Every structure is written in structure tokens, then in C-alpha cells.
Amino acid sequence: QVQPVESGGGLVQAGGSLRLSCVASRSILSSTTMAWYRQAPGKQRELVASRAGATIAGGLDTKYSEFAKGRFTISLDKPNRTVFLQMNSLKPEDTGLYYCLERRGSYEYWGQGTQVTVSS
């Protein structure tokens, strides 16, 4: 396995929740950054949330885009090389292909994506 593998996408009604999972290609080190991006049809890929492999005081190890704050939560399960994205209060505009990114130094490894569709 040379790329992360996402799962957990699906079809959900507005207001519902989904939990995405991404298994990294290898151990998540303190220097590794795991992130979720998304791409809606006809739009550019955008950052959803990122999480550093190291725990940093003050929550500086985690970053959210404005649209994700208060609704989405990114978390790590390092022993299982997995990063999660818990998405609550989903909206139709959250529809898109969600990608996992594994960043190790100057190298980036992208998953193939998992589709999230939110119906109104």
C-alpha cells in the first residue's frame, strides 16, 4: 500500500452525520500531517481539516476550514494508522469527493477519495 485508503462515504439527508476513515500507508509519525480535502463538482479541491502527528498544546496540532468549524472533527488513532473525520449537521453544499492526504516532509500521498452526498 503506497497511498492512504479512505472509507465511510455515502448518501445522507441534510442534518445527518457521517464518519470518514482513512488508513495511512505506514505509521503516523510526529512529523506526519494527515488531512482531509474535498472537491465538489466544478470546484477546486479545498482543505477541510488537518491534524499533525504530534500533539501540540493549545490545539495548534489541528486546523479547520471555516465551513468545518463547529460541525466537523478530525482525530487520529495512531496505533491503527487511521485518521477520522466526524461530520455532523451536514448540508447539501458538503456534497463532494473527500480525499485523505498523508504528508511526510516534502512528499504527499493522496487517497482515491470517498463520495459524500447530502440530500436536501
Side-chain angles (χ1 to χ4, degrees):
Q1 177 186 345
V2 295
Q3 63 184 120
V5 179
E6 307 98 334
S7 62
L11 173 64
V12 64
Q13 288 189 332
S17 299
L18 280 175
R19 189 192 197 202
L20 306 183
S21 301
C22 169
V23 180
S25 63
R26 69 207 79 171
S27 297
I28 298 174
L29 308 176
S30 295
S31 57
T32 305
T33 297
M34 300 297 296
W36 286 97
Y37 281 73
R38 71 182 188 184
Q39 187 167 18
K43 295 188 176 181
Q44 289 189 331
R45 193 174 296 188
E46 60 180 350
L47 174 69
V48 178
S50 65
R51 175 69 161 86
T55 298
I56 305 173
L60 297 179
D61 48 24
T62 304
K63 178 181 177 180
Y64 293 97
S65 290
E66 281 300 317
F67 63 81
K69 289 179 180 177
R71 299 191 298 132
F72 296 179
T73 303
I74 188 170
S75 59
L76 284 182
D77 177 359
K78 292 180 75 172
N80 290 301
R81 297 170 18 218
T82 302
V83 59
F84 299 101
L85 184 69
Q86 177 67 43
M87 303 187 295
N88 299 326
S89 302
L90 283 163
K91 306 174 182 180
E93 51 263 43
D94 293 318
T95 294
L97 197 56
Y98 282 68
Y99 295 92
C100 181
L101 168 68
E102 186 178 330
R103 183 178 293 120
R104 299 175 183 272
S106 60
Y107 294 92
E108 294 187 344
Y109 305 89
W110 290 90
Q112 294 197 337
T114 184
Q115 179 68 36
V116 171
T117 303
V118 184
S119 63
S120 57

